[in-house]
Amino acid sequence: MPARTGAEYIEGLRARPQDLWVEGRRVEDVTTHPAFRNVIRSLAALYAMQHDPALREEMTYVSPSSGQRVGLSFLVPRSREDLGRVRAMMKRWADYSGGMMGRTPDYLNRSLMAYATAADYCAENDPRFGENIRRYYEYVREHDLMLTHTLINPQANRSVGPGGQADPTLAARVIRETDGGIVIRGARMLATLPIADEIMVFPSTLLKATDEDRPYAFAFAIPCATKGLRFICRETFDQGGTPFDHPLGARFEEMDAVVLFDDVLVPWERVFLLRDVERCNKAFGATNAVVHMAHQVVTKNVAKTEFVLGVASLLVDAIAIEQFQHVQGKIAEIIYYLETMKAFLRASEAEAQVDKWGMMTPAWPPLDAARNMFTWMYPRMIEIIQLLGASGMMARPTQADVESPLRETIEKYYQAARQPAVDRIKLFRLAWDLALSSFGSRQVIYERFFFGDPVRMQMATFANYDRREVMERVRVFLNRPDAATSLESAAARSRELLPTSE
């Protein structure tokens, strides 16, 4: 059936090796490489949920074209109930990693679904492109492919656009068009989870409507194993330890990569937008892809906040510090963040409307508020973990220590008020991996800049949020007569109407 198993995902990676580099060496087999094998197993576990008899209805639906069950994250929502179904499915996946995996397949599946449903937007650039995105969506859905994506140009000289760089092919650009397709040369960043089947190269949203920028305006998708396509990864934050020592990094290290296009041929049937700067800049908003992506992100953020609250609460309980007022205040603060995220998510679905493309689309203002507030909420939550764990996160023996002749000594000196030593060590190592390790630090940077520069995001909210109604309401208030004056005027008018006695 089209919904893949975990084994099928892993076999697909083996069958289509890509040009992937880590620490100066090309990776021969990502499924066995230390930087990727553990997260690949975690992703395989997500796919396996689709075949769990108890979760089948929650995770899949019947394809309208093949009649077979496909992943629910591909569903085109036509009702608020559909949005709820998709959210429940996405929450199930997010809970598996405690929200620590931000690029699980559902993220880009929701984007692709929106683009395909709004295919007429691409068709206005070229009639072929509308059909291309529809067919591509069906292809990915029916084969349950995993996507990565990239949309940002290299940050060499940010004072000028991509065409103004010292080398005009520093940023990926079209260098020529052929009968077979377009040829791309240059770089893009930052592809998270490069161990995917295909890459969607999204249009940049920061281009200027000049002839100089037109070669940089495009949207397309190609297999990650395409000739000339190379991924240069950062160093891994999976340090090769066990889940005991690195409970998060040893499971959920997604990896990030710069993508290089060495005269890559993109077939015409895989091109969705081309050389239309204005249309590329507006694509995310005009198709409502950004709304459905944000729906997934805020669902993930709820799972992540619940996970942090759980870790913080266990720390408090383990070392018996719940009686202190400042501790209660810190836990309450995380609770406020959690309930805020949940309220935004509920509001977005309760106020959802069918858009011009026929999709039931969550309300944008609550999701926009949620995604922007999380850029500072999450770092603050991690600071709370650091404050609660304090030096206890430094005193953290390894699994090797626990299994050594030191075991008896460790059991005596590392115990907690309400936990034996080994359980306490596992908990504090989790807190360390969440708040202090390279994996945890990357999570903080990731959340700060998930949708881009927070200042630019605030500027966009300022520019796009309709404040006219509330402004007018205040104007009316300012011009409303004083209540006391109004009463006196009314009384005076009443006296004037009374009959007079001679």
Side-chain angles (χ1 to χ4, degrees), residues 373-391:
M373 290 178 69
F374 205 70
T375 64
W376 55 262
M377 284 181 175
Y378 187 75
R380 171 56 181 161
M381 287 189 283
I382 294 306
E383 181 184 29
I384 289 173
I385 294 291
Q386 294 170 348
L387 294 172
L388 293 175
S391 61

Side-chain angles (χ1 to χ4, degrees), residues 462-477:
F462 177 84
N464 297 323
Y465 193 90
D466 189 350
R467 294 167 285 134
R468 289 173 296 181
E469 180 184 348
V470 293
M471 292 168 68
E472 183 59 27
R473 195 181 304 166
V474 174
R475 289 192 188 101
V476 171
F477 173 82

Side-chain angles (χ1 to χ4, degrees), residues 18-22 36 148-150 152 188-195 199 230-234 254-260 442:
Q18 60 205 80
D19 191 3
L20 190 71
W21 290 70
V22 177
F36 302 102
T148 185
H149 81 304
T150 179
I152 302 299
R188 277 287 190 92
M189 54 185 293
L190 191 62
T192 299
L193 203 67
I195 44 173
I199 180 169
R230 174 173 292 174
F231 297 85
I232 301 180
C233 301
R234 58 165 169 76
E254 291 180 296
M255 184 58 77
D256 307 289
V258 172
V259 187
L260 303 183
R442 184 261 182 189

Side-chain angles (χ1 to χ4, degrees), residues 292-370:
H292 292 278
M293 295 166 80
H295 189 226
Q296 188 273 349
V297 169
V298 179
T299 300
K300 180 268 298 179
N301 289 349
V302 169
K304 200 165 193 171
T305 307
E306 288 175 342
F307 188 80
V308 173
L309 177 60
V311 173
S313 298
L314 285 174
L315 289 175
V316 170
D317 183 71
I319 56 179
I321 56 174
E322 67 276 4
Q323 71 274 22
F324 298 111
Q325 291 181 341
H326 74 91
V327 171
Q328 296 173 17
K330 290 178 174 62
I331 296 298
E333 188 175 341
I334 301 176
I335 292 172
Y336 301 151
Y337 296 151
L338 173 59
E339 291 303 318
T340 299
M341 288 294 112
K342 288 163 65 176
F344 281 137
L345 192 57
R346 291 191 195 102
S348 76
E349 294 178 11
E351 299 170 12
Q353 299 291 331
V354 175
D355 68 6
K356 64 183 291 188
W357 314 111
M359 287 182 288
M360 179 60 74
T361 301
W364 177 238
L367 294 178
D368 189 38

